[in-house]
Amino acid sequence: FCRPVQSSLCGHQFFKSCMDKVFRTSNRLNKLACPVCKTMHSKDKFFPDINLKRRVLALRARCPHAGTKCNWTGELRHIMVHRLECLYQLVNCRNIDCTE
């Protein structure tokens, strides 16, 4: 989910999943222009950005079920645990004849 990387050449930051997709769709062999400054990079010039990861996971988040009365708010790092415990999450009906 949150795997930011930073360029060791220009210092710009991106999410790893985005950069992986860009490298897969690039026509150049293992070379890519930075989307911000156009500096040419190879895939090995990106490293995990732990500081940015910590900042992103500290962002405030609301429960995805806030529209159904859940008042939970907390750091993004805790949302997965809350989603497992949320009393307002949707569940599939176990009644075989139910269409809801």
Side-chain angles (χ1 to χ4, degrees):
F1 168 66
C2 178
R3 294 181 303 160
V5 293
Q6 185 178 55
S7 161
S8 63
L9 299 177
C10 64
H12 289 117
Q13 301 162 312
F14 307 95
F15 286 104
K16 186 175 185 326
S17 58
C18 295
M19 293 310 291
D20 286 346
K21 183 177 180 180
V22 171
F23 270 106
R24 275 195 309 273
T25 59
S26 175
N27 291 332
R28 298 188 176 112
L29 294 174
N30 283 334
K31 290 286 185 180
L32 176 71
C34 171
V36 177
C37 68
K38 307 304 182 210
T39 300
M40 292 304 291
H41 291 73
S42 58
K43 202 170 189 176
D44 65 341
K45 297 300 179 190
F46 292 92
F47 63 92
D49 190 331
I50 297 167
N51 181 44
L52 181 57
K53 179 179 181 177
R54 188 173 34 252
R55 290 186 299 161
V56 168
L57 292 176
L59 292 172
R60 302 293 295 170
R62 289 186 334 174
C63 176
H65 307 293
T68 54
K69 300 183 183 178
C70 182
N71 295 323
W72 182 88
T73 60
E75 290 185 351
L76 187 59
R77 76 180 78 247
H78 301 299
I79 200 162
M80 294 308 289
V81 171
H82 169 72
R83 289 181 76 172
L84 295 172
E85 301 169 346
C86 182
L87 299 176
Y88 296 97
Q89 65 181 314
L90 297 175
V91 293
N92 291 328
C93 182
R94 294 182 182 183
N95 184 347
I96 295 172
D97 298 324
C98 183
T99 60
E100 295 191 30

